[in-house]
Each structure stands twice: as structure tokens, then as C-alpha cells.
Amino acid sequence: MGTLTSDLPPGTSSAPARRSRRKQARPGELLDAALDLFVSKGYAATKVEEVARLAGVSKGTLFLYFPSKQDLFKAVVRHVLADRFAEWSLELDNYQDDTASLIHYCYEVWWTRIGATKACGLPHLVMAEANNFPEIAAFYRQEVVVPGNRLVERILQRGIDRGELRAMDVGYGATLVLAPLIFCAIAQSSGGLCLPNPQFDVPAFLRLQADTLVRGLAPDARGALP
């Protein structure tokens, strides 16, 4: 005996189920569409009508979930960046290996989860439009920049406490760690404009950067930090 689905006329077998799944998926589809448009066109040039059209819903449906473009942008940032800090913090709490391995791991994870994805365009977008939209710049700083710096400061302090890194101002140290990631994000989102050649291997660069940091911050490294 055939199933209920196979007994229905062709083209109508799972329409109610598809509509149900579609309704539940709409917020995620809207965020994906918004991320695509924000990073490709910028904040100012992106229209909510375009986001709705790309997601396959009406503008009214979009406003049910996100009352304004600013709300939509904030939701995108939280979805792809800000909401992940709790996960990353837990990873740090449970990490067992030494600090050198941890720094290498952080750069690798950043590349696979952020740098090699469309999310890498968000820092470039915010920096480019910060003067015109100070409210989104302030939001990004509070939701991404501040917790990002705090997480890296924790990593460095962990290394200092374990005797694997020399004493330093971890605020300056965090900037030292994060600056190459910001550079790579801008390079990715600008089509490699600031890279020396189209074949530039970003993961290889990040491995070299991590190794350089580990060596430079080692307890027996010469020189003094601020």
C-alpha cells in the first residue's frame, strides 16, 4: 500500500509541509539575503525591498520580523558574529593545549568560520560607513569589537599565567593579534585589492603570523613590550 504522500496528485504531495517549513525558515533566509546585500552594496545602498525580494517574501513579511533596516542589520551582525562569542568563550574555557597551539587554532578557526565566508565583509562595511551611520558603528563596537578584544585578552592572560607568554599589556597584545585578521577581512571583501598577487594564500599567511606572534611573545624573546 502506498503512503499518504504517494497517493496525492503530483505537485501537491507535500505543499502544506513545504509552506510550514518555509514559514519557519523565513528569518534565516532574510538574514542570509541581508548579509549578501549589505556586504556587496553597503548599508546605505541596501533597500529592504531588495532583501525581501532576494529572500522570496514580501516587504510586509520582512517587517514582521525586523521593523527597520537598522534592526535587520543588527540581527545580521548578531547572527553571524556577536552571538558566537559565548560559543568561543566556552571553547577557550575547555581548551587544554598550550598557548602556542591555541593562537594557531584561533587563527585557523577565524578563517574557516569568518574570513572565508561572507561575514568577513562586515568589518569593511562598518568602517566604510561609520561616519555616515554612527549608530551602527557604535552597535558594532559594543557587540563585536569589545567582546572580541576581551576574548583575545583572555587568551593572552592565560598564556602569561601559564608562563608561556611574557608579561605585557594585554590590551596592546590583543590589537597585535587582531590587526592581521582585520587586514585579511578587508582584503577578502575588496577582492584582494591590497594583496600582492591573486594567488596570495591567506591561511598560509595566518599560520606565519601566528608563528611570528608566538615567537615574539615568548618569555625568552628579546625586547620589551609596552
Side-chain angles (χ1 to χ4, degrees), residues 208-224:
L208 176 60
Q209 178 66 27
D211 189 57
T212 302
L213 278 169
V214 168
R215 292 174 183 271
L217 299 178
D220 58 350
R222 294 184 179 182

Side-chain angles (χ1 to χ4, degrees), residues 6 8 16-17 35 38 52 55 103 139 150 153-154 183 186 190-192:
S6 63
L8 293 173
L35 176 63
F38 281 136
I103 291 174
F139 165 81
R150 286 176 179 164
E153 288 171 7
R154 283 185 58 204
F183 167 79
I186 294 173
S190 62

Side-chain angles (χ1 to χ4, degrees), residues 79-144:
H79 178 63
V80 300
L81 291 176
D83 286 351
R84 308 193 71 172
F85 283 113
E87 167 196 345
W88 294 333
S89 182
L90 183 61
E91 283 192 69
L92 175 56
D93 290 340
N94 294 323
Y95 195 83
Q96 300 298 319
D97 214 336
D98 60 31
T99 303
S101 299
L102 177 57
I103 291 174
H104 275 275
Y105 174 71
C106 288
Y107 274 177
E108 178 185 345
V109 166
W110 178 87
W111 173 250
T112 57
R113 299 182 188 177
I114 305 298
T117 74
K118 291 178 181 177
C120 77
L122 289 173
H124 189 191
L125 179 157
V126 174
M127 286 187 282
E129 306 211 37
N131 288 336
N132 293 327
F133 299 96
E135 64 279 4
I136 68 168
F139 165 81
Y140 188 85
R141 177 177 178 79
Q142 185 63 34
E143 296 274 336
V144 179

Side-chain angles (χ1 to χ4, degrees), residues 175-211:
T175 302
L176 194 67
V177 173
L178 292 167
L181 303 183
I182 297 170
F183 167 79
C184 290
I186 294 173
Q188 286 293 106
S189 61
S190 62
L193 182 63
C194 53
L195 297 178
N197 61 72
Q199 288 75 44
F200 190 85
D201 188 337
V202 175
F205 166 74
L206 291 176
R207 287 192 294 271
L208 176 60
Q209 178 66 27
D211 189 57

